Amino acid sequence: MDITKVTKPMRRFLKLKYCGAVIVAAGNASRMGGIDKVMAPIGGEPMVVRTVRNFEECDAVREIVIVTRPDLIVPIRDLCAAFPKVTAVVAGGNSRQESVGLGLAALSKQVKLAAIQDGARPFGNWQLIDRCIRAANTYGAAAPAIPVKDTVKEVIGGVVKSTPDRSTLRAVQTPQVFDIDLLRGALKKAREDGAEVTDDCSAVERLGMSVKIVEGDERNIKITTPMDLKLAELIKEEMQ
């Protein structure tokens, strides 16, 4: 047998679709004790800048829209002027769902994949972002998650009703990445049904669609309380 004539079957790779990111930083930080977490410094740098930089550094991301409060549009635009991928800074709505929709509307018509990111997750590095985008490129919807460490109880009326199997539970993070038409349709359906969804995956799941879970990162925390800011400083030092 002439081994020079033996060829390996060629693997087909999906072309990476044009991806735009929507960074949602429009909340009122009600649990921050008066601290404006969007602008809160981590290592002397505003948190929103750290979050945006991670997406700027990811080659799979082609453009970035930031959604924020009206009073922060100009300050954030000035802070992010050095990031070429930032194409717009727009005002958010009365809910997270509405803010995501406004961010999607500000993306260009070239966008086929939309990565939705919490503005208060400053440690989602470009490698994590890339993993999520590539999974969504294949499956249509993807999100990072980490195993749940604590035992979780379902409690109703102050009484434990069940204890889910912890091995099947995951704490979902962002970025959550979707085919943009799928996400728009899911958010529209949730709005029509009057459904309040806790994240964008929930909106897609309501349509009966599956979301691919990829490996998250324990450092990819969401800053929600003043204690989280202290933890963020420790994470920043550990990552240096």
Side-chain angles (χ1 to χ4, degrees), residues 197-216:
V197 293
T198 56
D199 67 351
D200 303 293
C201 284
S202 299
V204 170
E205 291 160 21
R206 292 184 73 252
L207 299 181
M209 302 296 293
S210 297
V211 177
K212 177 66 175 178
I213 293 299
V214 301
E215 181 183 0

Side-chain angles (χ1 to χ4, degrees), residues 168-198:
T168 68
L169 301 178
R170 297 293 183 272
V172 179
Q173 305 174 330
T174 65
Q176 297 178 3
V177 190
F178 309 90
D179 174 276
I180 193 168
D181 291 331
L182 170 62
L183 180 56
R184 282 175 172 152
L187 292 175
K188 181 175 183 290
K189 178 63 173 171
R191 184 172 63 253
E192 291 173 348
D193 293 346
E196 289 292 329
V197 293
T198 56

